[in-house]
Amino acid sequence: MSQFKPIRPSRVSDEVVKQLRDGILSGRLKAGERLPSERDLAQDFEVSRVAVREALRKLENSGFICVRHGATGGAFVQELTFDHLTMSFVDLFLAERISIEDLYQVRLLIEPEIARLAAQRITPEDAGRLLTALEEEERQSQSMEDDIQRKTTVHFILAEICRNKFFEVLVRALMEVTRRVVLAGSPDFNFIHPAGMHRPVVEAVLAGDAQGAAEAMRLHAIEFGKTLIQREKTFREKQSLSSS
Amino acid sequence: MSQFKPIRPSRVSDEVVKQLRDGILSGRLKAGERLPSERDLAQDFEVSRVAVREALRKLENSGFICVRHGATGGAFVQELTFDHLTMSFVDLFLAERISIEDLYQVRLLIEPEIARLAAQRITPEDAGRLLTALEEEERQSQSMEDDIQRKTTVHFILAEICRNKFFEVLVRALMEVTRRVVLAGSPDFNFIHPAGMHRPVVEAVLAGDAQGAAEAMRLHAIEFGKTLIQREKTFREKQSLSSS
DNA sequence: ATTGGGTTAATGGTTTTACCATTTACGGAA
DNA sequence: TTCCGTAAATGGTAAAACCATTAACCCAAT
């Protein structure tokens, strides 16, 4: 083993990224704050505007900032959301590094647990939101996009009731992949995921019946999961077709 | 509701990103292939080199390409790894959007399940790797970095044995956050995670005892988890200190 | 034959300058 | 008051020039 470490020449823009990122993560730059203009940043860092812009693109891509055009524009620090993690996950799915079967297995593990926790931790306020969402999803929908949106809401709310952000982000990722697969292949979403499918789960949660909620969710996950696995093949075919 | 949708002026670089990304995800651009040089890409897309470079920074940031300098350099398509998802996750933790407690709860759910599955699916070849890793981690380590590295390996291998990429990526994320917290606060990792801690788990897995493996892992996760939760406070303090 | 140095060519990295496009604010005219 | 034009700030794009890194090649000295 050599005593020396290889030297990797670094890019100026990466140093800019590093400093800005540190500032944001440390809280020195708070969400909502505006960074100096590109020209000013270039002066402060003593680099060219191009270097600053490349750095901003990276930070934008990671969800740390959003950039607006115009007189009151600039780069604004964002509260980090779960969206970018979700998108990374979708990328892995699209790149076929993760299959629906993988996803199904994980879902079968965590969703019943979420239902169980939700039943234990639900507050009256949560109960109201949950019921509203359930009623919403049982109404007639105008479009499939809309239908899917409503039927995923119950899952989101249950995850939120757990007060565990990790569960939330997992459910988001699961739902986003599911949404895409369904959207690509099903003429009638209400057929493969009929209205009312969540009712047993929600009722058990509202009743505070942890065991019952978990079991109801398990059954739901199994039922819907089987359908989804079948859809993956269709999805992959469409995927490769549309891109050739 | 208006019949029109708002128009968001788009950036040239984003269109470049889109086209290249589609090419990669569809498989038209395969891993290992080299994209045309920046100057050629600029000509092909009929945009400036700056726009191309901003696009490359984004793709680089998402893990789709890596860019090398020099005569045989250029942008090379990468096989999408779990690393970027892991980093997104670490960002969420550093931004305090996810706590160690959240993480602990999820870990307590999935790691026993991983042990269970591993016990059911293990092959002779897996058994060899697992044993080697166990022996490795029980040897004396030179540095803490090294020690942590070895003790996480068993977790990785168990996840791989499950043949479920989703579990793999979850374990990676969990371990990376754990690694950082431990690295920031513990003078002697072997004290809080003694060698041999994994032995009961590994032995149960090797014996094909699914139930026993799950239970052993549960105990391990509880024991180590408690320690880790205590360390979070120290970590957060150090974090805000080092950045002021 | 090996070593080391020099040259060349390809490519990414960086800077500078100029100009375009978008957005907001302001002020004057109808 | 409303409308419209103008100005100013800021991000977006482009072009040209040059620097830095890497690999490949040739060649002379050892």
Side-chain angles (χ1 to χ4, degrees), chain B residues 20 29 34-41 44 52 56 74-75:
Chain B
L20 290 175
L29 296 168
R34 211 203 74 168
L35 302 185
S37 72
E38 293 181 353
R39 290 164 176 88
D40 289 347
L41 282 173
D44 294 346
V52 170
L56 293 183

Side-chain angles (χ1 to χ4, degrees), chain A residues 21 80 91 97 105 164, chain B residues 21 80 91 97 105 164:
Chain A
R21 187 173 171 284
L80 217 51
D91 283 345
R97 298 296 314 272
Q105 196 168 29
N164 182 318
Chain B
R21 188 173 170 283
L80 218 52
D91 283 344
R97 297 297 313 273
Q105 195 167 28
N164 182 318

